[in-house]
């Protein structure tokens, strides 16, 4: 019901109701408030349908308030404040200094966004210290709960949720749900079932904020889930891809367009619109309980020391792997220049320096990498080689460099803020029939790694085509890929392929990593038979042919930890065994750094590859492995970096461009 104009500032405290309930008299009062602000000191712009409470202390140098945004009762707003549309600054909130809010940001009551600071040098009293100002930046679609403090210099990425009472002192990547003092990551917001919507969630009211207590986030804050999952990947895959197990969805090819965001008239929209419905849900916070985290606390100091050393020596490592004359990158001194070495350098610089390799500008890196692509096929040859010939279903079948360049060049350009210059035409022209025939012909029985690597390259090419706004492949081909994979996964192992007498499960496990990296993980889909996958991978991880100390190499360790990490997002099956294996591997990995030279890939059975010599490939892979191992143990935030390239934890098809760590 409408309130009277002099009803104790009703709309000042409940401004979300103003547009629907205010009388003409009340609207006239608000219009006078707008005019006073516009005519007052400072540079002020108020968008359409904004509301600024009479009791709010608004004294800005710059105020740019987006459409349909409001400042509620007793808020204190000074400095350079800019917001997008649909932003809410609730009662008693302080916003000072330089603060930029994106679109649709909710800021709970009694929260402080402090985009300035004082110096603390000992030679002056605090009241005489100079004021510093780095500013606060908040992305789109962010919910900041009540009684939160965000300090100067912090960036909060898109789609984050910050729990009530948190103190945010470091950047939060996109999709983070954070809480605590200092604020720490609780989970990824895209994980479904993360809490119901209260009345404040939809309207922006200030009745509590998004999760002040363990009762509001049962199991998430304490680390142990009290609720049962809706089922493993084997149960949920039918819901996602429409397998014919009695559900109403029809076949995989009928419904996968809803999940993959294809423009074929499906009702589901793009993956960006529906990420929560296609991501697997962990049964508990992977950080574990307080007791479990304490058990691995001795690794914290080693992680801090490791990353400090790696960051300090990264420029030297990158410089030693660049040829002075040609400007090309080599994996290690004395090796031939390769495309992959350049891409590894870009990934390492992003991880450790949060920048581009310093030998070139970002624009120069982009120019060199984009120029490598053959415009006719969209494939990337090795340096100095002829354009590669596409295979019968797009990607070459020869395990050559061109197949891997689809991954490494595409992600290096993505990290540099760019993309391929052309679609990967060789994949774009693949029909569903031709793809299915080729999948059936791949050597799954004895060369499962080769088969999985081919799927990785093909699916990644389709992903880049989508990112360029092109058709990923011929109509129905991408749907056919996931349909084929679901119907051919072995329910006993969760994998594709078979063990071999010579190598045991090595081919099938390593092929599983490559296949799922480019398909299920990259497109944000839960894997089938997650618990069986964990059984298979843990059994393989005990094989002394591959995991005796001194025999581990980056490929084999990565191809175990990534499937375990991926499946842990869907089930807690044998999770303590996974953590124990991760702790042992992490302890060993942190001792492998070679001063000024990085990390060595490790021995391979046939003696090929970079071996024991430290270089770019080994360093890039082990940095990603160390992050995955640490994340399983709940320690990844100690590292201060997060993979954003080939080994990114977020689904690339739903995350778009990830924010920096």
């Amino acid at each position: 019901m409408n309130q009277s104009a002099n009803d104790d500032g009703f709309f000042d405290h409940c401004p979300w109701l103003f547009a629907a309930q205010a009388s003409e008299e009340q609207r006239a009062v608000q219009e006078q408030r707008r005019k006073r602000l516009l005519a007052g000191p400072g540079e002020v712009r108020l968008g359409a349908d904004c509301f600024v409470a009479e009791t709010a202390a608004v004294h800005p140098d710059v105020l740019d308030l987006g459409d349909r945004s409001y400042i509620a009762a007793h808020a204190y707003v000074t400095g350079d404040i800019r917001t997008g549309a649909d932003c809410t600054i609730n009662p008693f909130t302080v916003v000072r200094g330089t603060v930029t809010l994106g679109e649709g940001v909710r800021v709970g009551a009694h929260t402080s966004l402090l985009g300035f600071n004082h110096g603390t040098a000992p030679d002056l009293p605090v009241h005489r210290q100079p004021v510093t100002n780095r500013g606060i930046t908040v992305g789109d679609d962010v919910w900041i709960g009540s009684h939160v403090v965000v300090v100067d210099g912090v960036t909060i990425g898109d789609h984050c949720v910050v729990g009530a009472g948190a103190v945010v002192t470091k950047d939060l990547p996109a999709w983070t749900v954070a809480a605590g003092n200092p604020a720490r990551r609780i989970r990824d917001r895209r994980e479904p079932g993360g809490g119901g919507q209260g009345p404040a969630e939809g309207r922006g009211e200030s009745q509590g904020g998004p999760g002040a207590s363990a009762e509001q986030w049962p199991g998430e804050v304490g680390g142990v889930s009290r609720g049962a999952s809706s089922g493993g990947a084997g149960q949920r895959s039918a819901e996602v891809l429409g397998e014919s197990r009695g559900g109403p969805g029809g076949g995989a090819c009928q419904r996968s367009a809803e999940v993959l965001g294809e423009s074929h008239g499906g009702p589901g929209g793009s993956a960006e619109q529906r990420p929560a419905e296609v991501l697997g849900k962990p049964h508990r916070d992977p950080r574990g309980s307080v007791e479990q985290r304490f058990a691995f606390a001795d690794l914290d100091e080693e992680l801090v020391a490791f990353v400090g050393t790696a960051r300090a020596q990264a420029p030297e490592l990158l410089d030693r792997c660049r040829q002075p004359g040609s400007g090309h990158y080599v994996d290690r001194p004395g090796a031939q220049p390769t495309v992959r070495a350049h891409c590894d350098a870009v990934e390492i610089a992003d991880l450790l320096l949060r920048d581009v390799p310093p030998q070139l500008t970002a624009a120069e890196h982009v120019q060199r990498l984009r120029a490598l692509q053959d415009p006719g096929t969209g494939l990337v040859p090795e340096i100095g080689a002829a354009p590669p010939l596409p295979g019968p279903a797009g990607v070459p079948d020869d395990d050559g460099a061109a197949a891997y360049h689809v991954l490494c060049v595409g992600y290096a350009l993505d990290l540099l803020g760019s993309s391929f210059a052309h679609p990967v035409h060789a994949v774009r022209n693949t029909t569903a029939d031709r793809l299915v025939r080729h999948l059936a012909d791949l050597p799954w029985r004895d060369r499962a790694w080769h088969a999985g690597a081919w799927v990785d390259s093909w699916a990644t090419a389709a992903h880049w085509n989508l990112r360029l706004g092109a058709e990923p492949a011929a109509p129905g081909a991408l749907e056919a890929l996931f349909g084929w994979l679901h119907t051919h996964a072995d329910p006993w192992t969760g994998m594709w392929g078979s063990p071999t007498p010579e190598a045991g499960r090595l081919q099938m496990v390593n092929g599983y990593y490559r296949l799922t990296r480019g398909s299920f993980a990259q497109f944000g889909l839960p894997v089938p038979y997650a618990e069986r996958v964990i059984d298979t991978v843990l059994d393989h991880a005990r094989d002394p042919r591959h995991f005796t100390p001194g025999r581990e190499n980056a490929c084999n360790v990565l191809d175990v930890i990534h499937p375990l990490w991926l499946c842990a997002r869907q089930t807690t099956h044998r999770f303590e065994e996974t953590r124990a294996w991760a702790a042992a591997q992490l302890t060993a990995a942190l001792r492998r750094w070679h001063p000024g030279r990085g990390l060595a890939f490790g021995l391979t059975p046939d003696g090929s590859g970079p071996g024991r010599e430290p270089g770019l490939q080994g360093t890039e892979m082990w940095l990603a492995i160390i992050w995955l191992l640490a994340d399983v143990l709940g320690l990844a935030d100690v590292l201060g970096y997060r993979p954003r390239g080939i080994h990114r934890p977020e689904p690339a098809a739903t995350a778009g461009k990830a924010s920096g760590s």
Side-chain angles (χ1 to χ4, degrees):
M1 80 184 161
N2 289 342
Q3 307 292 319
S4 67
N6 58 359
D7 188 9
D8 296 324
F10 174 80
F11 290 122
D12 277 14
H13 291 82
C14 303
W16 52 89
L17 299 177
F18 181 84
Q21 297 186 12
S23 66
E24 290 303 318
E25 182 182 0
Q26 291 161 336
R27 295 180 197 279
V29 170
Q30 177 59 203
E31 182 60 27
Q32 291 301 313
R33 172 66 159 146
R34 289 173 58 95
K35 290 179 178 179
R36 290 196 303 275
L37 285 170
L38 293 170
E43 179 184 332
V44 177
R45 176 194 167 276
L46 302 177
D49 300 318
C50 287
F51 180 94
V52 180
E54 287 283 352
T55 54
V58 181
H59 306 293
D61 298 317
V62 176
L63 175 62
D64 190 340
L65 201 60
D67 296 346
R68 299 175 302 281
S69 297
Y70 66 71
I71 299 173
H74 304 292
Y76 179 23
V77 179
T78 66
D80 187 332
I81 313 300
R82 303 168 194 263
T83 85
D86 301 299
C87 290
T88 64
I89 297 172
N90 274 294
F92 300 98
T93 292
V94 174
V95 184
R96 299 189 63 195
T98 300
V99 179
T100 302
L101 308 182
E103 304 277 329
V105 176
R106 260 39 183 176
V107 182
H110 298 277
T111 282
S112 295
L113 308 181
L114 305 176
F116 71 101
N117 210 334
H118 288 279
T120 58
D123 57 337
L124 287 174
V126 170
H127 75 275
R128 297 177 61 187
Q129 291 282 348
V131 173
T132 61
N133 185 317
R134 291 187 293 160
I136 293 170
T137 301
V138 180
D140 297 337
D141 179 38
V142 173
W143 184 15
I144 300 174
S146 296
H147 294 277
V148 170
V149 175
V150 182
V151 303
D152 189 39
V154 165
T155 294
I156 298 177
D158 296 345
H159 315 296
C160 286
V161 175
V162 181
V167 178
V168 185
T169 61
K170 296 181 180 179
D171 293 354
L172 298 179
W175 296 103
T176 297
V177 177
N181 180 5
R184 302 177 76 97
R185 178 186 183 276
I186 300 298
R187 60 181 175 87
D188 188 301
R189 179 182 158 194
R190 292 164 296 187
E191 295 162 359
Q197 290 188 350
E201 184 165 352
R203 302 196 303 263
E205 292 94 329
S206 55
Q207 292 103 319
S213 67
E215 288 74 21
Q216 290 169 293
W217 276 349
E220 298 288 352
V221 173
V224 181
S225 171
R226 300 183 180 93
S229 166
S230 59
Q235 294 169 295
R236 291 195 68 246
S237 60
E239 301 172 29
V240 175
L241 283 176
E243 291 203 59
S244 54
R245 298 178 186 171
C253 293
Q254 290 174 297
R255 292 195 65 237
S256 57
E258 297 179 35
V259 176
L260 298 173
E262 299 293 311
S263 56
H264 304 312
S270 67
E272 284 82 353
Q273 293 170 301
R274 304 179 68 233
E277 299 183 39
V278 298
L279 290 172
K281 175 189 176 183
H283 290 207
R284 66 177 170 186
D285 180 355
R287 294 175 58 84
S289 66
V290 173
E291 292 79 8
Q292 291 165 335
R293 181 171 169 78
F294 181 77
F296 302 111
D298 57 334
L299 285 170
D300 276 24
E301 291 186 7
E302 289 192 60
L303 286 165
V304 170
F306 166 82
V307 79
T309 298
R311 281 207 170 96
Q313 298 178 11
E316 178 185 357
L317 162 67
L318 295 169
D319 193 58
R320 75 186 285 268
C321 292
R322 184 168 182 262
Q323 289 184 332
S326 68
H328 292 307
Y329 286 88
V330 297
D331 180 69
R332 56 204 181 280
Q336 291 298 310
T338 62
V339 173
R340 176 169 184 164
H342 193 161
C343 298
D344 287 338
V346 172
E347 295 248 13
I348 292 166
D350 186 77
L351 288 166
L352 296 179
L353 304 178
R354 301 182 186 178
D355 204 345
V356 302
Q359 294 77 21
L360 299 170
T361 66
E364 289 170 331
H365 284 292
V366 168
Q367 182 181 16
R368 288 195 173 207
L369 290 172
R370 293 190 91 194
L372 296 169
Q373 189 183 25
D374 172 43
T377 62
L379 299 171
V380 178
E382 189 52 272
I383 294 172
L389 296 175
V395 176
D397 284 340
D398 59 1
D399 284 348
Y404 192 76
H405 292 167
V406 173
L407 281 65
C408 68
V409 177
Y411 274 105
L413 286 168
D414 192 55
L415 289 171
L416 294 166
S418 185
S419 63
F420 278 125
H422 313 280
V424 184
H425 298 295
V427 166
R428 191 181 178 195
N429 297 328
T430 306
T431 64
D433 288 347
R434 193 189 315 159
L435 176 63
V436 168
R437 285 196 302 271
H438 193 73
L439 289 168
D441 290 341
L442 290 172
W444 298 104
R445 181 171 296 279
D446 57 349
R447 295 174 63 209
W449 180 88
H450 168 94
W454 188 91
V455 172
D456 188 5
S457 297
W458 192 95
T460 302
H463 160 64
W464 296 128
N465 288 347
L466 280 169
R467 288 284 295 272
L468 284 173
E471 285 292 326
L478 192 56
E479 294 89 341
L481 171 69
F482 284 99
W484 192 94
L485 293 176
H486 267 273
T487 55
H488 288 78
D490 182 353
W492 294 101
T493 65
M495 299 197 171
W496 300 265
S498 306
T500 65
E502 300 78 19
R505 297 177 177 85
L506 182 67
Q507 281 277 329
M508 60 189 296
V509 170
N510 289 14
Y512 180 90
Y513 158 69
R514 286 295 304 271
L515 182 152
T516 55
R517 192 221 69 85
S519 55
F520 292 92
Q522 185 163 240
F523 283 88
L525 299 171
V527 297
Y529 312 117
E531 293 186 353
R532 301 292 74 77
V533 171
I534 292 170
D535 291 339
T536 302
V537 171
L538 286 176
D539 288 349
H540 166 65
R542 291 196 294 266
D543 190 330
R545 290 173 290 184
H546 314 300
F547 294 99
T548 300
R551 292 189 179 183
E552 295 99 336
N553 62 46
C555 182
N556 293 348
V557 177
L558 173 64
D559 296 357
V560 166
I561 189 55
H562 188 275
L564 292 176
W565 178 90
L566 186 63
C567 291
R569 298 168 69 85
Q570 297 177 209
T571 175
T572 55
H573 180 63
R574 298 178 71 176
F575 190 57
E576 293 312 312
E577 293 173 70
T578 294
R579 288 164 64 85
W581 188 87
Q585 290 293 329
L586 183 58
T587 300
L590 293 177
R591 292 168 171 78
R592 292 190 173 114
W593 184 264
H594 296 256
R597 297 187 296 157
L599 294 156
F601 178 88
L603 293 179
T604 54
D606 61 0
S608 65
R612 293 187 183 276
E613 178 63 25
L616 297 181
Q617 180 180 343
T619 302
E620 184 275 323
M621 291 184 70
W622 279 111
L623 288 174
I625 292 165
I626 287 167
W627 189 92
L628 289 164
L629 293 167
D631 198 53
V632 164
L633 300 173
L635 302 173
D637 53 350
V638 175
L639 288 167
Y641 70 78
R642 183 180 183 88
R644 301 195 307 140
I646 289 176
H647 304 110
R648 68 187 305 158
E650 294 86 8
T654 61
K657 298 184 75 65
S659 63
S661 299

